[in-house]
Amino acid sequence: GQQLNQSPQSMFIQEGEDVSMNCTSSSIFNTWLWYKQDPGEGPVLLIALYKAGELTSNGRLTAQFGITRKDSFLNISASIPSDVGIYFCAGRGNRDDKIIFGKGTRLHILP
Amino acid sequence: NAGVTQTPKFRILKIGQSMTLQCTQDMNHNYMYWYRQDPGMGLKLIYYSVGAGITDKGEVPNGYNVSRSTTEDFPLRLELAAPSQTSVYFCASSPRPYGYTFGSGTRLTVV
């Protein structure tokens, strides 16, 4: 079945640093999504990507849909303490009624 | 709007007991989903529904059952609880097969 490989599994950064994480799949996706999960809460959608090559920003967050349609990345610029959490990538194939999730990247910000 | 409401928030079950996790959404979404989240493992799809009266298995359906008699409700049933079902369960809904809105989760422990 389809699998998503998300990396890195965790990151420890200083406040103010930029962050980059990515996701690769074993098959082509038509939609890429990036979610953030805060402790004790459900994931919240950050950015949705619908076309190969698409680059979309949401404040300090930027995500891109890879041209091969098998990868995506998420960048966070000038990190702040509230960026702490788990970031999930998710993807959907052409005929699927569901999306699959990566295992997440846990972001820690050092004081 | 309340969005996606899950109850209960926490539950401890004994092995072999049964219970129903409730999920209700007030957004008139056709698509609804149940995921389980284990530490470091991301989100695994248990069951999903594309509309009232229609359900389908996800990646990890064994030990669970669902029903979708109305658009609003999508309960998840555990018939014979096992320790392997200890997890955090998330319900989600969407108007299309991506861009989910998640509930805040049910933390289940089976002892």
Side-chain angles (χ1 to χ4, degrees):
Chain A
Q2 294 174 321
Q3 292 188 358
L4 288 183
N5 295 311
Q6 189 171 349
S7 64
Q9 286 188 343
S10 62
M11 304 180 72
F12 291 82
I13 63 169
Q14 299 283 347
E15 183 178 349
E17 287 186 26
D18 296 342
V19 172
S20 184
M21 59 191 79
N22 67 80
C23 210
T24 59
S25 72
S26 56
S27 55
I28 289 173
F29 283 149
N30 287 342
T31 304
W32 280 98
L33 305 155
W34 285 92
Y35 285 84
K36 184 194 177 200
Q37 184 179 28
D38 292 323
E41 298 293 330
V44 174
L45 182 64
L46 298 173
I47 294 177
L49 303 159
Y50 304 110
K51 290 194 307 185
E54 181 180 353
L55 185 71
T56 297
S57 293
N58 178 6
R60 293 178 295 106
L61 278 62
T62 301
Q64 184 159 27
F65 192 140
I67 57 173
T68 66
R69 296 166 66 191
K70 290 186 176 183
D71 62 337
S72 178
F73 72 76
L74 175 71
N75 286 342
I76 305 172
S77 63
S79 58
I80 60 177
S82 61
D83 291 334
V84 166
I86 304 175
Y87 292 80
F88 290 101
C89 64
R92 185 179 79 93
N94 187 33
R95 298 180 184 278
D96 285 340
D97 292 319
K98 56 190 183 296
I99 61 175
I100 62 171
F101 285 81
K103 294 184 178 181
T105 294
R106 187 179 292 272
L107 180 63
H108 305 267
I109 296 183
L110 301 171
Chain B
N1 283 343
V4 178
T5 302
Q6 289 185 239
T7 57
K9 290 191 182 299
F10 303 92
R11 183 72 186 267
I12 298 174
L13 278 183
K14 293 184 179 179
I15 294 172
Q17 286 185 322
S18 61
M19 76 164 292
T20 299
L21 282 67
Q22 301 292 345
C23 177
T24 299
Q25 52 95 4
D26 62 358
M27 298 172 284
N28 202 33
H29 287 170
N30 283 328
Y31 296 84
M32 294 189 75
Y33 307 82
W34 274 107
Y35 285 86
R36 59 177 288 172
Q37 184 177 29
D38 301 315
M41 296 301 293
L43 293 154
K44 296 288 188 182
L45 181 64
I46 305 171
Y47 271 95
Y48 67 103
S49 168
V50 302
I54 306 169
T55 62
D56 210 342
K57 295 178 180 179
E59 301 172 76
V60 290
N62 292 342
Y64 307 94
N65 276 300
V66 294
S67 60
R68 185 91 183 274
S69 57
T70 66
T71 299
E72 295 77 20
D73 300 309
F74 190 41
L76 178 71
R77 179 83 177 160
L78 283 70
E79 290 293 349
L80 290 170
S84 61
Q85 293 178 305
T86 293
S87 188
V88 181
Y89 292 83
F90 287 100
C91 178
S93 75
S94 65
R96 61 188 70 83
Y98 48 85
Y100 301 172
T101 298
F102 281 86
S104 56
T106 295
R107 186 175 296 274
L108 175 67
T109 302
V110 181
V111 296

